[in-house]
Amino acid sequence: MANLEDRVLTGIAALERRKVFANMVETRGHKYAGIIRGMQTFRWLMLLQTKGNFVEAKRRGEILITFYAAMRWVDDIIDGDVQLPASEKSRIYYVDKRLEFVNGGMKNPTDTADWLLLHSASVAKKLGFQITGETSAILNSMRFDAQRIDQYALSRRLVTYPASELQGYFHDQDITGTVSGMLKLFDEPPSKTALLAPIGNAHRLYLTIKDFPKDLKAGLVNIPAEDCERLQIRMHDLEKVAAEADISHPAAIPLGIRKWLAETARNGLELLDYHKSQVLPKNSLNYLGRFVLWFMYQKQAEKALRRAFETYAL
């Protein structure tokens, strides 16, 4: 009976995963087609780490692509790239239901994300580890975005937050959640989580710049309140960028925001330099782990952050 249930769950997860990836390619193929292909290839590269153990390699690859699809689906619903299900009252209500599902033992899945998270956790259990804590941390960070977007939809008023609060939620998603989960996937000790914080934070800064106009338009202000005060960024500056949803012309960007974009890009590049010069030489991550970090974090971030600094620096 257990084997039958496993096969059914695997089949459902495969269908839900295809739905997520099909939507990603259909709506934003130029952004995600290469990432999806890379993760599919990763399943075979896992044979190197598992020393030819096909079953273990397949399971580890299955966790990566399934968990990614689950979080992509939740994030797309929060951002509005996927329509909020009619049964959900709000974005935050949707995320709360996913958190309740995860923290309540993953019983009675009802949503695409539920099925994918259940399958990921089931496969992880077969490999001897749990990802419930990492899953909750990422969803909790997403909940913060859902709350801010819902509030903006009602008030149409942009709100700034202290750096400590923003960084706390980002740390939940990027370090406590993603990096810790990746280490488990590569059978690395949790003690290495802190060592990989610089590249996780650099990737966060890359995403912050990349999504900055879109986030502002949705009501997400990811410039800390302290930086707004220091750089004299006023609410009308933020509203201007939110209305135009475009930062491709530096001369048209309010001066304080342009300075902040340049500073953020520089900080991201410094974190990447630190990762390459100080962390990698002393860190015994296996070669496959290093490759995935480069492919999913460093490759995109480094190029985009350098371009952003050159664009916005005064």
Side-chain angles (χ1 to χ4, degrees):
M1 182 62 71
N3 288 336
L4 177 59
E5 291 176 353
D6 282 347
R7 288 198 295 271
V8 170
L9 177 57
T10 299
I12 293 174
L15 290 173
E16 297 290 1
R17 195 168 56 229
R18 281 198 289 271
K19 179 174 77 174
V20 175
F21 289 160
N23 178 76
M24 291 167 59
V25 172
E26 180 182 350
T27 57
R28 294 146 294 162
H30 64 290
K31 291 172 59 177
Y32 291 115
I35 293 177
I36 294 170
R37 287 195 300 269
M39 286 193 295
Q40 297 286 4
T41 303
F42 167 84
R43 303 172 87 173
W44 299 106
L45 292 176
M46 263 296 183
L47 285 168
L48 298 175
Q49 178 176 325
T50 60
K51 299 178 180 179
N53 186 327
F54 179 79
V55 173
E56 181 181 346
K58 183 180 179 181
R59 285 174 175 171
R60 291 185 182 275
E62 187 84 356
I63 294 172
L64 177 71
I65 63 174
T66 304
F67 191 83
Y68 174 84
M71 293 306 179
R72 182 77 267 157
W73 187 253
V74 175
D75 191 60
D76 283 349
I77 285 179
I78 294 171
D79 291 345
D81 294 317
V82 172
Q83 187 173 358
L84 184 71
S87 60
E88 310 293 357
K89 295 183 291 187
S90 65
R91 291 173 176 83
I92 195 168
Y93 181 77
Y94 172 81
V95 179
D96 280 343
K97 286 180 69 174
R98 307 294 69 84
L99 277 165
E100 182 181 343
F101 173 75
V102 170
N103 295 328
M106 297 193 178
K107 301 173 183 177
N108 303 318
T110 60
D111 180 77
T112 290
D114 293 347
W115 287 107
L116 295 171
L117 291 173
L118 176 60
H119 182 54
S120 300
S122 175
V123 178
K125 185 177 180 180
K126 292 176 183 177
L127 292 171
F129 62 88
Q130 295 184 349
I131 53 175
T132 303
E134 289 79 5
T135 304
S136 294
I138 296 173
L139 288 174
N140 189 54
S141 178
M142 290 180 168
R143 186 185 188 279
F144 179 54
D145 282 354
Q147 176 184 353
R148 292 190 290 165
I149 292 173
D150 282 345
Q151 288 177 344
Y152 181 70
L154 292 173
S155 68
R156 309 308 297 177
R157 178 171 165 268
L158 295 171
V159 178
T160 60
Y161 292 83
S164 58
E165 187 169 0
L166 288 172
Q167 186 56 36
Y169 283 109
F170 292 153
H171 191 277
D172 275 350
Q173 179 167 344
D174 302 320
I175 312 303
T176 307
T178 305
V179 170
S180 176
M182 290 283 284
L183 286 171
K184 287 184 176 180
L185 192 60
F186 291 108
D187 200 23
E188 297 278 5
S191 58
K192 294 186 178 181
T193 300
L195 291 172
L196 298 179
I199 192 169
N201 289 327
H203 191 261
R204 167 54 50 189
L205 296 180
Y206 148 68
L207 292 175
T208 297
I209 294 175
K210 179 179 77 70
D211 295 333
F212 182 71
K214 178 184 175 184
D215 283 347
L216 264 184
K217 191 175 183 68
L220 300 174
V221 182
N222 289 323
I223 303 179
E226 298 92 329
D227 286 348
C228 286
E229 182 176 355
R230 176 175 60 85
L231 297 171
Q232 298 184 351
I233 299 172
R234 306 307 180 198
M235 192 56 63
H236 64 79
D237 295 327
L238 296 171
E239 291 170 346
K240 177 180 185 294
V241 176
E244 297 173 356
D246 182 16
I247 55 172
S248 59
H249 304 289
I253 302 172
L255 183 60
I257 292 179
R258 182 175 174 180
K259 288 180 178 178
W260 180 82
L261 289 167
E263 287 181 6
T264 302
R266 184 189 64 220
N267 291 340
L269 289 170
E270 289 175 352
L271 286 168
L272 285 175
D273 286 342
Y274 180 84
H275 171 77
K276 290 186 291 184
S277 64
Q278 301 297 320
V279 177
L280 281 182
K282 302 174 184 178
N283 193 342
S284 58
L285 271 182
N286 59 58
Y287 288 112
L288 184 55
R290 291 186 179 215
F291 170 76
V292 172
L293 277 176
W294 172 82
F295 180 76
M296 298 190 73
Y297 283 78
Q298 183 180 332
K299 179 185 176 184
Q300 288 180 312
E302 190 163 21
K303 181 179 178 180
L305 287 169
R306 184 164 287 111
R307 183 170 60 246
F309 181 73
E310 292 170 353
T311 299
Y312 303 121
L314 297 171

